[in-house]
Amino acid sequence: MASRYDDVMSLSVRRGFLWPAVDLYGGFSGFYDYGHLGARLKRKWEDLWTAHFLGLGDNYYLIDTTTILPEVSLKASGHVDHFTDILVTCTKCKESFRGDHLIEAVTHEEAEGLTTAEVDAKIRDLKIRCPKCKGELGPSRPFNMMFPVGVGPLGQDRAYLRPETAQGVFLNFKREFEALRRRLPMGLAIVGRAYRNEISPRQGAYRMREFLQAELQIFFDPATFGTTLPVDSVKGESLRVARGAEKHAPTANERTVADLIRDGLPAFYVYHMVLVQRFYLDRLRVPRERFRFAELDERERAFYNKVHFDVQVAQDSLGGFKEVGGVHYRTDHDLSGHALASGKDLSVPVADRKVLPHVLELSFGVDRNVWALLDLGYEVAGDRSVLHLPPSLAPVVVGLFPLLSKQGMPERAEALYRDLRPGFDAFYDETGSIGKRYARMDEVGTPYCVTVDHTTLGDGTVTLRERDTMGQVRVPGTSLAAILRDLLDGRREFRALGSPVSRP
RNA sequence: GCGGGCGUAGUCUAGUGGUAGAACAGGAGCUUCCCAAGCUCCUAGCACGGGUUCGAUUCCCGUCGCCCGCACCA
């Protein structure tokens, strides 16, 4: 019995969205490659994300930074120390545990950051045994989630593949602040790869060792940011949130912006939650009930976050609400860390004061979002399978077919294809029956199909078919480009295009 | 990493100690023509490595990978 996950993965592999990397040699756990449709879908998601989030501010820009970072910079960010877990394995039942957690459970004191020798000593002194089988615990060993890289001919310069794109922004903060003429708020975004040596990659594109992040870091003056935003204009807007323990249930509560601010969340933070929710509901067309913000408590949050809500989308292939992004209030953690370690003052002048800017991070996993689109969009009903992608994200926007492979119809259809090709992701097909061609387009999410038929030969009109409704209208072939552009940009509705063509 | 299950064309699968069939998909052709029609032909597979054996896709071991549970998840 194939699961929902298998169905989505099968579609992805068959049609060219994504599949396991290096599968010629049996695969490479935690790594996935994108095929021709997946790469285009991913690129369109990135473009949409970039347009939406850079549009949130006049001083928001995209930058691009290295994926390899020297140890000193990641030491300053806290990743060298905090991204390392000390693991202890039971010699009897082979179960592994985090050393600091074992010690904290007994002493109720913070034990994170201890060395392996210290953990071993504590375990011995406190006579800690395996919590599961009471067996004897083996020696502890460090495990860092970052991939080490030896730079230089002898590999003598210790470095790591970046575990998040954000550090590239912080390292370039001072340069950009000058280049952008010293203005706050300033937004710097990176869409790029990041790497984590996950112990156990799972669930396809959900937990990967190499993945693509889209992150926007907004630098601001904590004293004034909330008051400079049009928070009042969204006060009545409702957000879907699960706070504290609520996230363990597959639901969310509708809470107004005003409510959340009254509960103590910073106004600027809630304001940006609204903008993120709009991106998912309005732009990505995620059904409202499948979207929510899930709050992480102190124990679950990363070491640098003061307020943290996951952005989650409910996906049947992954068993419910799963993280696709996050809204993180990182305070001045990063800039102060880099200021301390580099010896450079990263505070900036604001009016007559010096301010170390705070950071609000809007962070998204691109691969997770692409998978969510496939999961949400894929529908199998009887013998028809349809991928309901938002038209603006569909890797193929329009299919062009001749009804018959004769009477000059292929030439007419191909001419239309040539006309549209420069401006649209168009696809021409004359093989098989017309129904089969529609079916193929439906399955890869193509929102519109155009067919040249007998009537076309007389008056130049063609049929335009909409994927989701299978409805057809007749439009002039010469207007196709303009009509498609309007449909994709949301300026026109398909049903408003004209009277439907009836079919037998 | 531990435990369990699994690995046969692109996909989904049948099957055997004597090297494999089907369906769907794909290609060519005929025919038909507005929602995966039909017919003919074709392409294509036992994850990888080792062992046992006259002979291994099948049995055994290892590796890799996938799924589930545990742990982990800045």
Side-chain angles (χ1 to χ4, degrees):
Chain A
M1 182 188 70
S3 66
R4 174 72 182 171
Y5 174 88
D6 292 330
D7 288 344
V8 177
M9 187 55 88
S10 172
L11 166 76
S12 298
V13 171
R14 270 186 295 117
R15 294 305 200 175
F17 285 98
L18 80 162
W19 43 68
V22 204
D23 66 354
L24 193 60
Y25 290 92
F28 192 25
S29 186
F31 298 87
Y32 279 78
D33 286 341
Y34 287 90
H36 68 292
L37 294 182
R40 204 133 86 182
L41 176 57
K42 183 162 66 69
R43 176 62 62 86
K44 288 190 174 183
W45 190 95
E46 292 168 27
D47 290 344
L48 188 67
W49 181 88
T50 303
H52 182 85
F53 285 98
L54 294 190
L56 300 184
D58 293 328
N59 196 33
Y60 289 11
Y61 295 94
L62 202 59
I63 67 170
D64 196 12
T65 70
T66 65
T67 57
I68 296 178
L69 292 173
E71 182 165 52
V72 63
S73 65
L74 291 163
K75 187 89 181 167
S77 70
H79 286 89
V80 171
D81 295 325
H82 292 275
F83 225 70
T84 300
D85 292 332
I86 304 289
L87 292 183
V88 183
T89 302
C90 172
T91 56
K92 192 172 154 200
C93 71
K94 306 294 184 195
E95 195 76 32
S96 285
F97 306 93
R98 279 181 55 170
D100 54 337
H101 287 179
L102 289 173
I103 293 164
E104 283 168 13
V106 176
T107 64
H108 302 290
E109 287 169 11
E110 175 73 33
E112 201 178 319
L114 296 179
T115 65
T116 53
E118 288 166 341
V119 168
D120 287 339
K122 286 267 189 189
I123 287 176
R124 194 171 58 245
D125 295 347
L126 296 166
K127 297 186 169 50
I128 299 174
R129 300 185 72 86
C130 174
K132 197 171 178 183
C133 76
K134 301 299 170 199
E136 190 169 346
L137 294 167
S140 62
R141 60 186 192 284
F143 179 78
N144 192 290
M145 296 266 295
M146 292 192 292
F147 286 103
V149 178
V151 174
L154 302 176
Q156 68 275 49
D157 296 328
R158 294 172 60 83
Y160 300 92
L161 298 181
R162 66 182 177 194
E164 58 172 3
T165 57
Q167 292 307 319
V169 166
F170 303 132
L171 292 167
N172 286 280
F173 165 74
K174 199 174 168 61
R175 287 281 183 212
E176 277 295 351
F177 189 72
E178 291 299 322
L180 286 170
R181 299 166 58 193
R182 308 190 182 187
R183 286 191 293 153
L184 289 182
M186 175 176 78
L188 297 179
I190 294 178
V191 178
R193 291 175 187 268
Y195 305 81
R196 295 176 195 174
N197 195 6
E198 297 287 352
I199 296 172
S200 176
R202 287 284 168 88
Q203 297 185 301
Y206 184 72
R207 182 174 304 156
M208 299 200 290
R209 289 181 166 135
E210 174 174 345
F211 53 100
L212 194 61
Q213 289 187 311
E215 297 191 307
L216 169 65
Q217 316 291 330
I218 303 169
F219 297 89
F220 60 90
D221 176 357
T224 59
F225 193 36
T227 62
T228 63
L229 298 166
V231 178
D232 282 340
S233 68
V234 300
K235 273 264 167 73
E237 200 150 329
S238 182
L239 289 166
R240 291 183 51 79
V241 297
R243 304 200 62 174
E246 290 169 1
K247 66 175 170 295
H248 300 301
T251 55
N253 295 310
E254 295 281 350
R255 303 289 307 279
T256 65
V257 167
D259 280 348
L260 292 169
I261 292 173
R262 199 175 308 123
D263 285 355
L265 291 176
F268 73 82
Y269 188 95
V270 181
Y271 175 74
H272 284 86
M273 290 172 81
V274 171
L275 302 175
V276 169
Q277 179 171 293
R278 283 182 186 166
F279 179 66
Y280 277 87
L281 302 190
D282 301 341
R283 310 303 292 274
L284 298 180
R285 308 264 185 99
V286 172
R288 191 175 184 89
E289 68 277 8
R290 286 186 176 267
F291 177 88
R292 74 176 187 181
F293 292 101
E295 184 179 34
L296 271 65
D297 61 38
E298 197 170 351
R299 192 171 172 76
E300 298 166 314
R301 288 200 302 266
F303 53 91
Y304 48 71
N305 283 330
K306 188 172 175 188
V307 183
H308 179 165
F309 281 76
D310 274 351
V311 177
Q312 299 187 335
V313 173
Q315 298 161 70
D316 294 339
S317 67
L318 301 179
F321 278 103
K322 290 295 227 176
E323 177 190 0
V324 294
V327 181
H328 312 135
Y329 179 24
R330 300 176 71 127
T331 67
D332 63 359
H333 174 273
D334 299 279
L335 289 187
S336 65
H338 285 301
L340 189 65
S342 67
K344 307 276 177 21
D345 182 7
L346 297 179
S347 52
V348 302
V350 173
D352 54 350
R353 298 175 293 135
K354 292 276 273 184
V355 172
L356 188 60
H358 279 211
V359 171
L360 178 66
E361 173 184 73
L362 308 182
S363 172
F364 304 85
V366 178
D367 315 276
R368 290 178 171 185
N369 276 275
V370 168
W371 180 268
L373 288 173
L374 295 174
D375 175 284
L376 260 45
Y378 193 42
E379 177 198 18
V380 180
D383 60 352
R384 178 168 135 92
S385 58
V386 189
L387 186 61
H388 300 281
L389 293 175
S392 58
L393 290 170
V396 178
V397 160
V398 58
L400 294 130
F401 319 130
L403 182 62
L404 304 179
S405 321
K406 50 192 175 189
Q407 297 178 22
M409 291 181 197
E411 290 75 10
R412 292 292 289 267
E414 204 169 346
L416 288 173
Y417 165 75
R418 296 280 163 216
D419 285 347
L420 292 176
R421 187 77 174 122
F424 299 89
D425 291 313
F427 183 78
Y428 175 78
D429 193 1
E430 62 172 84
T431 65
S433 66
I434 188 71
K436 196 163 188 168
R437 289 175 234 156
Y438 287 145
R440 282 195 280 244
M441 289 289 93
D442 285 342
E443 200 181 24
V444 298
T446 305
Y448 305 107
C449 289
V450 170
T451 298
V452 166
D453 59 12
H454 299 94
T455 308
T456 311
L457 304 179
D459 65 8
T461 61
V462 295
T463 62
L464 178 65
R465 170 191 183 266
E466 184 184 45
R467 176 195 65 203
D468 292 346
T469 58
M470 295 169 69
Q472 284 177 297
V473 293
R474 186 163 281 281
V475 300
T478 49
S479 318
L480 268 180
I483 290 171
L484 283 170
R485 183 53 61 206
D486 284 352
L487 287 169
L488 293 176
D489 294 345
R491 281 192 299 274
R492 290 173 85 166
E493 292 272 323
F494 180 82
R495 52 205 289 187
L497 286 176
S499 50
V501 178
S502 60
R503 58 187 172 89

